[in-house]
Amino acid sequence: MKEQYCWKVYTWMVDKLHLSGNQLSVFALIYTCTEDSSETFELSLSEISNLTNVPERNVKTIIKSLCKKEYLLKIEPEKGKSQIIIYTINTSKIVK
């Protein structure tokens, strides 16, 4: 991986969303990568795993959980397009 990533953990992620541990790390990474530009997040599960030091199968479970809580929105690829599943922050559910 050539690019460098850093992410911020905000107190509201812990206090209001009640995130902790690996779930907090994964959410903070996705949030930080999308907060400045309101863009989508397009890293693979293995890239998230490498960045957060969370096993890939756990990353998948965490992302499913964050989607179920509606903190993340899943954007399915168009038919015939890339098979990468894209995520974005559900700003209507995130109360800072």
Side-chain angles (χ1 to χ4, degrees):
M1 205 177 312
K2 294 180 182 177
E3 295 182 51
Q4 292 184 354
Y5 289 88
C6 65
W7 57 93
K8 303 174 207 170
V9 173
Y10 293 94
T11 55
W12 58 264
M13 292 176 180
V14 175
D15 296 341
K16 302 224 167 136
L17 302 182
H18 307 289
L19 299 175
S20 63
N22 293 341
Q23 197 173 47
L24 177 61
S25 295
V26 170
F27 181 81
L29 172 63
I30 295 171
Y31 181 83
T32 304
C33 289
T34 60
E35 76 175 322
D36 292 333
S37 59
S38 298
E39 290 186 9
T40 56
F41 183 79
E42 299 185 34
L43 286 178
S44 69
L45 293 177
S46 63
E47 289 170 316
I48 297 169
S49 174
N50 289 333
L51 287 167
T52 59
N53 201 32
V54 175
E56 191 173 330
R57 70 181 190 287
N58 294 15
V59 170
K60 188 174 183 177
T61 301
I62 289 167
I63 289 177
K64 281 183 181 181
S65 173
L66 292 169
C67 287
K68 186 175 181 178
K69 292 177 183 180
E70 298 182 339
Y71 297 159
L72 293 181
L73 297 175
K74 183 177 178 180
I75 302 169
E76 297 287 347
E78 293 179 34
K79 289 184 179 180
K81 298 279 182 168
S82 168
Q83 292 304 308
I84 295 174
I85 298 170
I86 301 169
Y87 297 91
T88 189
I89 298 295
N90 185 359
T91 53
S92 67
K93 284 286 187 179
I94 306 301
V95 180
K96 299 178 196 174

